[in-house]
Amino acid sequence: MADTELTALLDALNSKRKHVLDILEGLDEEALRRPVLPSGWTCLGLVHHLALDDEKFWFRAVAAGERAAIEEILGAGESAWQPAPELTAEEVFALYREEAELADGFLAGADLNAPPAWWPDFFGDFRLADLREVILHVITETATHAGHLDVVRELIDGRQRLVVP
């Protein structure tokens, strides 16, 4: 990967991915499935969302145009925010890691100026122009959700990633 811009973008993305997993380390299954905020989402649901609605959707479907990923996304009837009850926390974390690895495999040789290979019609006029914008969008999404998880972790057991005086 000789492209220093791509390397910098992937370093930033991987830092946010790691933050998501690190802030949840040590929480048991019950805590990961407990809704803490009025919206009702759970830590595990957020990781599942990141795996499917961010990593898989933006990289495998939109950027790469992977037919299987597109069909799975279009055929999904349930919300990615609600992992199936039979999925364990470790299986959801493994899915997130797997989707990140698949995305990294595609991104390793990708052209940042390439337009999306597929674009869903449900976005209306919203459109990202190229892979660079897709990566920046996923970095923003992942960082935003990492911040959400920081707050929720503190509400669950008082743990703070960065100690605030």
Side-chain angles (χ1 to χ4, degrees), residues 7 23 38 57 62 97 129 132 143 153-154:
T7 300
I23 195 60
F57 177 82
V62 171
R97 288 184 194 100
R132 178 181 292 101
R153 178 65 189 253
E154 187 173 352

Side-chain angles (χ1 to χ4, degrees), residues 9 13 15 26 28 46 57 101 110 115 117 136:
L9 290 169
L13 178 58
S15 164
D28 63 20
L46 193 145
F57 177 82
E101 286 176 21
L136 288 168

Side-chain angles (χ1 to χ4, degrees), residues 45-62 72-74 76 78-82 95-96 99 118 122-123 134 137-138 141-142 145:
L46 193 145
V47 174
H48 196 252
H49 159 73
L50 284 170
L52 300 179
D53 292 341
D54 288 286
E55 298 287 343
K56 181 184 222 172
F57 177 82
W58 287 107
F59 293 131
R60 289 178 54 204
V62 171
E72 287 173 28
I73 288 162
L74 293 177
E78 62 279 344
S79 168
W81 284 88
Q82 301 296 325
L95 175 65
Y96 182 54
E99 288 297 338
W118 173 74
F122 51 79
F123 279 137
V134 170
H137 178 78
V138 175
E141 276 282 306
T142 307
H145 288 319

